[in-house]
């Protein structure tokens, strides 16, 4: 049992004693903030490509003033995906805590954030994940953390456990269960929330026996529908190792410096369409990193796991944005340039039933342009339908779920972005000028309308963490009530009924190796 060397609210350097040693944070306004607290040993040397190891105790009091070093990762665009700056070092597995009051008697709800980034970019200390507004407005304790990405965390190397990034997430949640009371949090009221790859990670945690009992509630924002079979993951590992001039075995790849290895992933990502005949629907995602259904760490894909009752005791809040794929088309510079032939090819690849799926989309959306069809099928396959089906699987397994759709258009990008992927992050965190928010909100200006919606989303998410009720009815498969998040939020039947019907009988399973 951990204890807190509790300082009065006015103290500038609150000290908390964890199971591994004491940490000293900072008092920032009416919050105490602890940054860069290790939850596992650095995964280097003999620990590289292995399951996370419990952090060794330290003597004295450790300063927790600065975020820990981000894990090795690819560079990218738009700040959100940029190569991280900050401290260097091997202590990638650290976490950060924002708390209104580090008093063990406070017992506030705890919200643990899992960042997105295609399983290859991002870290818990990004400016866009500054959790001060959530902690303050919602009267909750918020935790963000790092986990291994890309080549370090999600490639199925021979001689290494699968899904090491997911195992890091479990280790962080175990740390929360053991230590969060000392920071004023209630370990029995933990809500995990995440977006994109973070929501895909969360869906995996819901299906993983190792994560059972570590959290009570879950908020999954834009759940990714991409999971790999072991055969596909091994084939990708062979291609990734070849990019680095190595064999696909942990002992061989470990000879490459962790900071040099991401370049091999970046190189292969740029050429994934060349593997279309082998990797199928995984090829256009342009990322060879996703959770692997290996039968051990992740026994099954999330949807059959939830339908069988794996998470029936976890309250679920789940939703997506209306125009998810618009962001990627905007970044790629292809908005308005998609030909009908290109739309046809993507509809036949991604829609259920191939040519039959293409016909279904064209009949459901007779007025749609090639651009709109191309965007729609990407949105549905990658995020919208996996998200909706997760809610339906939770109901089938005897659980409960609340569903939302974000339809408010981003004011940035000349109005071209719509309610695109990632818009929910600056709205939730109130970080309009950070990372992707600078693009979506015209250099950080949220507008009064955006401010109101932001406050509404934070209020709903933190209310859910407190009580399991975000403020609108539970989803059911008869009336399908969904909270539509717009300038004037409202509850109505699921708005994307046309695509829901197209995907109604689709079974989300791990993607296979085709050849």
């Amino acid at each position: 049992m951990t204890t807190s060397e509790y300082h009065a609210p006015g103290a500038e350097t609150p000290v908390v004693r964890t199971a591994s040693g004491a940490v000293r944070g900072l008092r920032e306004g009416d919050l105490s903030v602890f940054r860069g607290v290790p939850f596992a040993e650095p995964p280097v040397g003999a620990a590289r490509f292995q399951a996370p190891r419990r952090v060794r105790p330290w003597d004295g009091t450790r300063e927790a003033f600065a975020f820990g070093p981000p894990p090795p990762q690819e560079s990218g665009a738009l700040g959100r995906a940029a190569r991280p700056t900050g401290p260097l070092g091997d202590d990638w597995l650290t976490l950060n805590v924002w708390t209104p009051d580090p008093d063990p008697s406070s017992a506030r709800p705890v919200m643990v954030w899992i960042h997105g980034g295609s399983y290859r970019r991002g870290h818990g200390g990004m400016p866009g994940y500054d959790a001060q507004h959530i902690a303050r407005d919602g009267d909750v304790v918020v935790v963000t953390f790092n986990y291994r990405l890309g080549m370090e965390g999600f490639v199925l190397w021979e001689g290494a456990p699968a899904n090491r990034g997911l195992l890091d997430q479990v280790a962080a949640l175990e740390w929360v269960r053991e230590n969060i009371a000392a920071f004023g949090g209630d370990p029995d009221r933990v809500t995990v929330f995440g977006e994109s790859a973070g929501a895909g990670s969360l869906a995996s945690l819901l299906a993983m026996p190792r994560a059972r009992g570590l959290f009570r509630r879950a908020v999954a924002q834009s759940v990714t529908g991409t999971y790999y079979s072991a055969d596909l993951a091994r084939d990708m590992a062979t291609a990734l190792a070849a990019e680095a001039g190595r064999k696909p075995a942990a002992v061989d790849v470990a000879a490459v410096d962790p900071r040099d290895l991401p370049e091999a992933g970046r190189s292969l990502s740029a050429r994934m369409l060349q593997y279309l005949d082998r990797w199928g629907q995984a090829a256009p995602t342009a990322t060879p990193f996703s959770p692997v259904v290996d039968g051990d760490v992740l026994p099954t894909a999330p949807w059959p796991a939830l339908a069988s009752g794996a998470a029936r005791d976890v309250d679920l809040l789940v939703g997506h944005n209306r125009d998810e794929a618009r962001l990627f088309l905007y970044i790629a510079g292809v908005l308005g340039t998609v030909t009908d032939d290109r739309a046809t090819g993507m509809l036949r690849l991604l829609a259920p039933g191939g040519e039959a799926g293409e016909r279904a989309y064209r009949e459901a959306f007779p007025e749609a342009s090639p651009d709109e069809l191309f965007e729609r099928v990407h949105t549905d396959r990658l995020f919208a339908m996996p998200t909706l089906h997760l809610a339906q699987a939770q109901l089938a397994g005897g659980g409960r779920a609340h569903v939302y759709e974000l339809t408010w258009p981003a004011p940035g990008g000349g109005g071209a972005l719509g309610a695109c992927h990632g818009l929910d992050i600056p709205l939730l965190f109130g970080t309009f000028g950070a990372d992707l928010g600078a693009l979506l909100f015209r250099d950080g200006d949220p507008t009064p309308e955006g401010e109101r919606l932001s406050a509404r989303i934070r209020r709903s998410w933190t209310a859910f963490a407190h009580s399991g009720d975000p403020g609108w009815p539970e989803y059911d498969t008869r009336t399908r009530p969904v909270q539509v998040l717009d300038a004037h939020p409202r509850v109505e039947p699921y708005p994307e009924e046309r695509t829901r019907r197209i995907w109604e009988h689709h079974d989300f399973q791990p993607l296979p190796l085709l050849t």
Side-chain angles (χ1 to χ4, degrees):
M1 181 71 177
T2 59
T3 60
S4 172
E5 297 177 15
Y6 175 60
H7 287 221
E12 293 185 1
T13 56
V15 175
V16 167
R17 182 167 297 281
T18 74
S20 300
V23 292
R24 185 186 304 276
L26 294 171
R27 191 70 183 172
E28 299 179 359
D30 52 357
L31 297 174
S32 291
V33 184
F34 302 80
R35 297 179 174 92
V37 180
F39 65 85
E41 282 293 290
V44 295
R48 193 166 176 205
F49 300 125
Q50 301 305 309
R53 301 179 180 183
R54 186 178 178 88
V55 66
R56 288 189 292 256
W58 59 82
D59 296 325
T61 300
R62 180 182 180 127
E63 287 188 352
F65 299 166
F67 295 117
Q73 57 194 268
E74 300 173 34
S75 59
L78 294 177
R80 166 188 172 91
R83 187 167 192 139
T85 59
L88 299 177
D90 298 327
D91 292 320
W92 313 328
L93 302 184
T94 62
L95 52 75
N96 320 292
V97 182
W98 287 257
T99 177
D101 187 1
D103 181 348
S105 67
S106 298
R108 286 175 167 83
V110 181
M111 298 185 70
V112 181
W113 172 251
I114 307 178
H115 71 78
S118 302
Y119 302 104
R120 59 181 178 174
R121 301 187 184 107
H123 57 99
M126 290 176 66
Y129 305 145
D130 183 341
Q132 60 171 308
H133 299 299
I134 299 175
R136 182 179 296 115
D137 296 353
D139 195 31
V140 295
V141 177
V142 184
V143 178
T144 70
F145 65 90
N146 298 345
Y147 57 96
R148 280 173 286 181
L149 302 166
M151 305 283 270
E152 302 293 326
F154 286 95
V155 178
L156 186 59
W157 302 124
E158 181 185 337
N163 301 304
R164 297 170 300 281
L166 298 180
L167 294 176
D168 293 345
Q169 296 170 15
V170 171
L173 289 169
E174 289 173 339
W175 185 98
V176 167
R177 180 179 59 188
E178 186 173 13
N179 294 285
I180 205 64
F183 293 83
D186 184 350
D188 293 324
R189 285 195 295 168
V190 173
T191 297
V192 181
F193 65 129
E195 180 267 351
S196 192
S201 294
L202 176 48
S204 300
L205 294 173
L206 290 168
M208 288 170 56
R210 287 171 170 85
R212 203 148 295 157
L214 293 177
F215 53 96
R216 181 174 175 181
R217 299 187 175 105
V219 184
Q221 304 167 210
S222 304
V223 178
T224 55
T226 305
Y227 291 77
Y228 295 156
S229 67
D231 286 343
L232 176 59
R234 278 190 286 267
D235 203 62
M236 287 182 166
T238 299
L240 286 162
E243 291 288 335
R246 298 287 165 175
K247 298 176 181 178
V251 67
D252 198 51
V253 181
V256 182
D257 187 284
R259 290 161 188 81
D260 294 334
L261 201 51
E263 177 59 25
R266 188 206 61 76
S267 177
L268 181 64
S269 294
R271 301 186 294 100
M272 282 183 63
L273 283 176
Q274 297 177 14
Y275 292 83
L276 187 62
D277 61 332
R278 296 179 64 81
W279 298 349
Q281 292 184 354
T285 67
T287 175
F289 311 115
S290 281
V292 180
V293 178
D294 66 312
D296 177 21
V297 175
L298 184 57
T300 63
W303 300 273
L306 266 63
S308 68
R312 65 165 60 96
D313 295 329
V314 178
D315 298 332
L316 181 62
L317 168 58
V318 64
H320 63 82
N321 306 346
R322 182 186 58 203
D323 310 308
E324 297 274 6
R326 189 84 56 86
L327 175 70
F328 309 112
L329 300 184
Y330 180 89
I331 293 172
V334 299
L335 275 178
T337 70
V338 177
T339 64
D340 194 62
D341 284 348
R342 188 175 182 188
T344 295
M346 201 55 65
L347 285 165
R348 292 181 179 181
L349 176 64
L350 297 183
E355 292 187 17
E358 181 213 348
R359 289 194 299 273
Y361 266 89
R362 292 189 182 277
E363 291 169 3
F365 300 95
E367 75 290 353
S369 67
D371 242 55
E372 291 166 335
L373 289 169
F374 189 85
E375 177 194 330
R376 184 73 256 170
V377 74
H378 273 90
T379 289
D380 293 338
R381 173 61 183 86
L382 297 178
F383 301 107
M385 293 301 104
T387 298
L388 182 66
H389 281 221
L390 196 72
Q392 295 175 168
Q394 177 73 337
L395 267 61
R400 55 194 293 267
H402 294 81
V403 178
Y404 73 87
E405 182 180 35
L406 175 61
T407 59
W408 185 76
L417 288 159
C420 68
H421 190 67
L423 176 60
D424 46 316
I425 296 174
L427 286 170
L428 173 59
F429 284 86
T431 50
F432 305 106
D435 303 332
L436 188 59
L439 168 67
L440 301 179
F441 287 90
R442 294 180 183 149
D443 297 321
D445 179 13
T447 74
E449 188 174 277
E451 287 273 21
R452 288 192 296 271
L453 181 58
S454 175
R456 170 65 182 264
I457 292 173
R458 269 195 306 282
R459 188 164 60 247
S460 295
W461 268 229
T462 55
F464 182 75
H466 277 269
S467 67
D469 182 0
W472 65 85
E474 294 177 26
Y475 188 77
D476 68 72
T477 55
R478 183 177 63 85
T479 61
R480 306 187 188 281
V482 169
Q483 175 69 65
V484 177
L485 295 169
D486 212 317
H488 302 286
R490 61 197 181 275
V491 176
E492 62 181 51
Y494 183 61
E496 313 305 334
E497 178 65 11
R498 286 182 286 182
T499 51
R500 186 196 69 78
R501 288 187 176 276
I502 292 172
W503 291 83
E504 188 170 15
H505 301 295
H506 181 74
D507 186 17
F508 282 96
Q509 290 289 346
L511 297 178
L513 178 66
L514 300 184
T515 302

